[in-house]
C-alpha cells in the first residue's frame, strides 16, 4: 500500500510506512489489554452490545480485573522479548556456521591470492548475514515495550523495572549483533527520528487517559463510586498530570543552553570561514 502511494522522498515513505505498521501493532498488542481493563469486568453488557449474550467472561470474585491485567502485562514484558533475543543470537550464529561449511573453497582461494590478515577480515565480514531493516524493527519493538509500561502503568508499577532490564539486555544484544555477528550497516543521515517522536508523544497522551480511566472504573478505589465521582477522578488526575508534564517541558529545555551556544558558535565560525574564502577567491 505504501509503495502505491508513491511518495517523493524516502523520509515521507518511511513515515507513512511506520504509521501503518504501528497502527497494526497497536491494535494487535494492546487490544487484549484494553479488553481486560475496561470490558471484561462488564462482560454481560459488553457481549449483549455486540449480539453475543450467551458468552461468559469475568474476572472471578472481585471482578476488578486488576490482577489479571497485571499478570498479562508482566507476561508480555518478560516473555515477548525472548523470541527476538533467540533470533538475534541463534539465527546469525547458525548462518555463520552454514556459510563456513558452504564456502570452504572460496576461503582457500582468497587466502592464496592475498594471504594477509586484512583479506581474512574482509572475507569474514562478507560472510556475515545482513541486518535487514534493523532500524524499523528495533524501534517498533522498543516502542511497543514502552507502551506496555506507559498505557497500563497504574496496574503494574514494577513494570518500569522490568522494562529497564529488558531494554538493557536488548541494547547489549543489538550492539553485539551490529559489531560482531552481522554485517556493518550503511549509515544514512537523518534530520531526526521521524514520526517515532510523534508516536511516543501520542502514547504519553493516551497513557494519561487510560490510567485515569483504570483508576476510576477498574480499581477497587473507584469501581464502587458514583459515576459523577468517577468522572471527577478522571478529570482531576489527567489535568494534574498534564499540568506537571507541561511544566517539565517548559522548564527543562530539549536542548541544553551550552549545546545551543556551541551550535551558534559553530555556525558563526562557518559563516566567517565562508566569507574569508569568498574574499580569497575574488582576489585576482
Amino acid at each position: 500500500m505504501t509503495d502505491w502511494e508513491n511518495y517523493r522522498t524516502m523520509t515521507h515513505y518511511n513515515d507513512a510506512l511506520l504509521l501503518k505498521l504501528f497502527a497494526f501493532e497497536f491494535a494487535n498488542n494492546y487490544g487484549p489489554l484494553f479488553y481486560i481493563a475496561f470490558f471484561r469486568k462488564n462482560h454481560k453488557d459488553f457481549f449483549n452490545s455486540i449480539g453475543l449474550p450467551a458468552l461468559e467472561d469475568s474476572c472471578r470474585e472481585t471482578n476488578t480485573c486488576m490482577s489479571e491485567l497485571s499478570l498479562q502485562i508482566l507476561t508480555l514484558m518478560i516473555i515477548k522479548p525472548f523470541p527476538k533475543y533467540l533470533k538475534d543470537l541463534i539465527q546469525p550464529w547458525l548462518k555463520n556456521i552454514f556459510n563456513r561449511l558452504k564456502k570452504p573453497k572460496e576461503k582457500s582461494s582468497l587466502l592464496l591470492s592475498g594471504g594477509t590478515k586484512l583479506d581474512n577480515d574482509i572475507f569474514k565480514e562478507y560472510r556475515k548475514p545482513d541486518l535487514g531493516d534493523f532500524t524499523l524493527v528495533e524501534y517498533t519493538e522498543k516502542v511497543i515495550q514502552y507502551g506496555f509500561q506507559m498505557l497500563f502503568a497504574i496496574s503494574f508499577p514494577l513494570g518500569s523495572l522490568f522494562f529497564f532490564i529488558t531494554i538493557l539486555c536488548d541494547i547489549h544484544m543489538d550492539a553485539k549483533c551490529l559489531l560482531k555477528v552481522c554485517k556493518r550497516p550503511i549509515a544514512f543521515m537523518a534530520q531526526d527520528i521521524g514520526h517515532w517522536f510523534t508516536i511516543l508523544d501520542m502514547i504519553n497522551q493516551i497513557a494519561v487517559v487510560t490510567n485515569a480511566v483504570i483508576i476510576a472504573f477498574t480499581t477497587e478505589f473507584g469501581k464502587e463510586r458514583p459515576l459523577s465521582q468517577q468522572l471527577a477522578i478522571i478529570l482531576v488526575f489527567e489535568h494534574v498530570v498534564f499540568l506537571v508534564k507541561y511544566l517539565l517541558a517548559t522548564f527543562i529545555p530539549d536542548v541544553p543552553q551550552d549545546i545551543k551556544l556551541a551550535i551558534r558558535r559553530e555556525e558563526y565560525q562557518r559563516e566567517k570561514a565562508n566569507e574569508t574564502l569568498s574574499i580569497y577567491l575574488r582576489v585576482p
Side-chain angles (χ1 to χ4, degrees), residues 177-238:
C177 185
L178 284 169
L179 298 175
K180 297 182 179 180
V181 179
C182 298
K183 291 181 181 178
R184 297 288 181 91
I186 299 175
F188 296 95
M189 293 185 64
Q191 182 179 3
D192 48 32
I193 63 174
H195 278 345
W196 286 116
F197 182 82
T198 305
I199 291 174
L200 290 171
D201 186 65
M202 180 192 69
I203 290 177
N204 293 335
Q205 305 289 341
I206 297 175
V208 177
V209 180
T210 56
N211 284 283
V213 175
I214 289 175
I215 294 174
F217 290 97
T218 306
T219 62
E220 287 287 351
F221 172 76
K223 179 186 175 184
E224 304 300 331
R225 296 176 182 270
L227 180 60
S228 59
Q229 294 185 11
Q230 291 176 327
L231 295 178
I233 291 173
I234 295 174
L235 291 176
V236 171
F237 179 86
E238 68 177 21

Side-chain angles (χ1 to χ4, degrees), residues 32-253:
L33 299 178
F34 278 106
Y35 167 73
I36 295 174
F38 304 122
F39 299 106
R40 191 178 180 185
K41 63 186 180 65
N42 299 318
H43 61 284
K44 293 182 179 179
D45 297 336
F46 174 72
F47 287 124
N48 287 331
S49 64
I50 61 176
L52 299 172
L55 293 181
E56 289 289 336
D57 188 21
S58 62
C59 296
R60 301 177 183 177
E61 295 83 5
T62 59
N63 202 27
T64 61
C65 298
M66 287 297 292
S67 58
E68 285 81 357
L69 182 60
S70 302
L71 179 61
Q72 185 74 7
I73 294 173
L74 176 63
T75 303
L76 289 172
M77 294 187 71
I78 295 178
I79 303 300
K80 188 177 177 63
F82 272 97
K84 177 184 176 297
Y85 296 161
L86 295 177
K87 180 182 177 182
D88 290 344
L89 292 177
I90 296 178
Q91 183 176 351
W93 179 69
L94 292 176
K95 285 184 177 180
N96 282 334
I97 294 178
F98 177 75
N99 289 332
R100 290 177 183 177
L101 297 176
K102 184 179 179 182
K103 301 179 180 179
K105 295 182 179 179
E106 186 177 351
K107 179 179 179 181
S108 300
S109 61
L110 181 64
L111 291 175
L112 289 175
S113 60
T116 62
K117 186 177 185 299
L118 179 61
D119 291 335
N120 294 336
D121 292 338
I122 292 175
F123 185 77
K124 289 179 181 179
E125 289 294 325
Y126 170 76
R127 197 171 52 194
K128 290 179 180 179
D130 293 324
L131 271 175
D133 200 347
F134 182 79
T135 304
L136 180 62
V137 173
E138 290 300 320
Y139 264 108
T140 303
E141 188 264 338
K142 290 175 175 59
V143 170
I144 291 297
Q145 287 286 95
Y146 178 76
F148 286 141
Q149 165 56 26
M150 294 300 296
L151 293 173
F152 308 95
I154 196 68
S155 64
F156 188 51
L158 279 178
S160 300
L161 177 61
F162 287 98
F163 176 69
F164 179 73
I165 294 173
T166 54
I167 287 296
L168 284 182
C169 296
D170 197 13
I171 291 174
H172 177 74
M173 293 183 182
D174 291 342
K176 183 176 181 180
C177 185
L178 284 169
L179 298 175
K180 297 182 179 180
V181 179
C182 298
K183 291 181 181 178
R184 297 288 181 91
I186 299 175
F188 296 95
M189 293 185 64
Q191 182 179 3
D192 48 32
I193 63 174
H195 278 345
W196 286 116
F197 182 82
T198 305
I199 291 174
L200 290 171
D201 186 65
M202 180 192 69
I203 290 177
N204 293 335
Q205 305 289 341
I206 297 175
V208 177
V209 180
T210 56
N211 284 283
V213 175
I214 289 175
I215 294 174
F217 290 97
T218 306
T219 62
E220 287 287 351
F221 172 76
K223 179 186 175 184
E224 304 300 331
R225 296 176 182 270
L227 180 60
S228 59
Q229 294 185 11
Q230 291 176 327
L231 295 178
I233 291 173
I234 295 174
L235 291 176
V236 171
F237 179 86
E238 68 177 21
H239 278 71
V240 170
V241 174
F242 280 132
L243 177 61
V244 173
K245 181 178 181 296
Y246 172 77
L247 293 176
L248 291 176
T250 302
F251 292 106
I252 301 177

